[in-house]
Amino acid sequence: MAWVVYNWSLSCTCTLNSTKPVLSSLALPQPILPLLRSGLLNFCAVALALNDQGYRAVGIRIDSGDLAYLSCLSRETFERISERFKLTWFSKLTIVASNDINEETILSLNEQGHKIDCFGIGTHLVTCQRQPALGCVYKMVEINSQPRIKLSQDVAKVTMPGNKNVFRLYGADGHALIDLLQRVDESPPEVGQKVLCRHPFQESKRAYVIPTHVEALYKVYWADGRVTQAMPSLDEVRERVQNSLKTLRQDHKRTLNPTPYKVAVSDNLYNFIHDLWLQNAPIGELS
């Protein structure tokens, strides 16, 4: 299939699909009145004419102005033309919106009842506006099978020593309850068996969990200088992320004041961390 670019007006975007060479009209929508007087009507006229020649339009792109209003107006226009000319596919034309779109924009558009099928996100996809730098560091936790711990007056910077496994524990409703870190020599949690989950640094924060499903999260893909198992495809990674998000409660995923998802350590790992901490922490001297 070939792609050819053809500009006919500064009004709207038209993408067409056919077994014949494909035409694509690329332009920029301007304020609402020019769109009504030229862009949208021009698109519909050209789409109808090309339909007679065996081409079928895919949709339009709106990248300025009131996106919610313009999308509703466009969908209404497509439906009227579909009914007038008995072209069922015309009412289902795709409406793509772009214009420095971010998460807040999409939430606002959802509240306005837009008719947009697809969002074109560029800047806010490749650059996180709220945190453009990812704040994380690698810390050594084991050398030659000997656990190592980093000590700090800031508890958040104290590392959890040693090689570990991690498991996700699910409740009876299918939602993920908590992720549990264990030492590698511990037996993994079992379905229906009570597990003590502890906050790694706050002694009083602990809870028993009886999982209905246990998922092992730690997988080794690289060891001893070689790939140890087949890497998932991008489609498989995307599907896994989507499935994982479905297991989270809605209060974890809400935009405003989300409930923090809990990550805990086993009782064995908790005691190991604090024993090693005490062994390596310097003892002060008063005089």
Side-chain angles (χ1 to χ4, degrees):
M1 180 178 291
W3 290 91
V4 179
V5 175
Y6 174 71
N7 295 311
W8 86 73
S9 70
L10 296 177
S11 52
C12 70
T13 298
C14 166
T15 304
L16 301 130
N17 191 12
S18 170
T19 54
K20 299 181 179 181
V22 176
L23 289 176
S24 176
S25 301
L26 303 177
L28 301 175
Q30 299 299 320
I32 294 175
L33 284 178
L35 175 65
L36 298 181
R37 294 172 179 171
S38 60
L40 184 59
L41 298 183
N42 282 347
F43 164 77
C44 294
V46 172
L48 289 171
L50 290 174
N51 178 66
D52 292 340
Q53 301 300 317
Y55 297 93
R56 179 169 294 189
V58 174
I60 65 170
R61 176 171 65 95
I62 308 170
D63 72 354
S64 66
D66 188 331
L67 300 181
Y69 172 74
L70 292 176
S71 68
C72 292
L73 178 67
S74 299
R75 179 63 65 204
E76 180 184 357
T77 302
F78 296 158
E79 290 173 349
R80 291 170 62 185
I81 291 177
S82 172
E83 182 179 358
R84 171 67 177 80
F85 295 99
K86 308 303 180 185
L87 298 173
T88 304
W89 60 268
F90 212 101
S91 65
K92 297 180 175 61
L93 287 172
T94 300
I95 299 175
V96 179
S98 61
N99 185 19
D100 202 27
I101 291 176
N102 57 26
E103 185 177 2
E104 286 73 20
T105 304
I106 295 176
L107 290 172
S108 175
L109 288 169
N110 288 341
E111 293 172 354
Q112 297 174 64
H114 68 83
K115 300 298 182 181
I116 299 167
D117 300 299
C118 179
F119 294 102
I121 303 175
T123 302
H124 293 275
L125 177 66
V126 299
T127 304
C128 176
Q129 302 299 302
R130 291 181 176 178
Q131 188 178 359
L134 177 61
C136 66
V137 293
Y138 285 97
K139 294 294 182 181
M140 190 76 70
V141 296
E142 189 171 288
I143 301 177
N144 297 327
S145 300
Q146 296 298 313
R148 293 292 184 265
I149 186 172
K150 175 194 173 180
L151 301 180
S152 172
Q153 291 182 336
D154 184 354
V155 175
K157 294 183 179 180
V158 175
T159 59
M160 299 183 200
N163 197 1
K164 296 173 286 292
N165 282 325
V166 58
F167 301 91
R168 181 158 294 168
L169 310 184
Y170 293 83
D173 59 359
H175 286 128
L177 292 175
I178 196 168
D179 287 356
L180 178 67
L181 290 167
Q182 293 185 334
R183 300 187 69 188
V184 290
D185 56 359
E186 292 186 67
S187 299
E190 298 181 6
V191 171
Q193 299 297 314
K194 185 184 295 185
V195 181
L196 178 60
C197 300
R198 305 193 64 167
H199 188 288
F201 303 114
Q202 296 185 28
E203 186 176 12
S204 62
K205 287 191 175 183
R206 52 188 180 171
Y208 283 112
V209 176
I210 303 177
T212 59
H213 174 61
V214 177
E215 179 185 5
L217 299 182
Y218 181 62
K219 296 178 175 61
V220 177
Y221 285 93
W222 179 268
D224 300 323
R226 63 184 181 85
V227 177
T228 58
Q229 58 179 303
M231 300 293 290
S233 66
L234 289 178
D235 287 337
E236 290 171 334
V237 172
R238 179 175 181 271
E239 182 179 4
R240 171 172 171 74
V241 171
Q242 291 179 329
N243 291 334
S244 295
L245 287 173
K246 292 177 183 177
T247 67
L248 295 178
R249 297 199 314 265
Q250 189 57 41
D251 58 301
H252 289 307
K253 296 184 288 185
R254 66 192 177 200
T255 303
L256 184 63
N257 298 324
T259 303
Y261 182 77
K262 293 179 175 60
V263 178
V265 298
S266 67
D267 190 52
N268 186 306
L269 180 55
Y270 174 89
N271 291 322
F272 178 71
I273 293 171
H274 289 266
D275 287 344
L276 196 61
W277 194 342
L278 291 176
Q279 291 173 21
N280 290 274
I283 300 175
E285 185 175 315
L286 300 177
S287 61

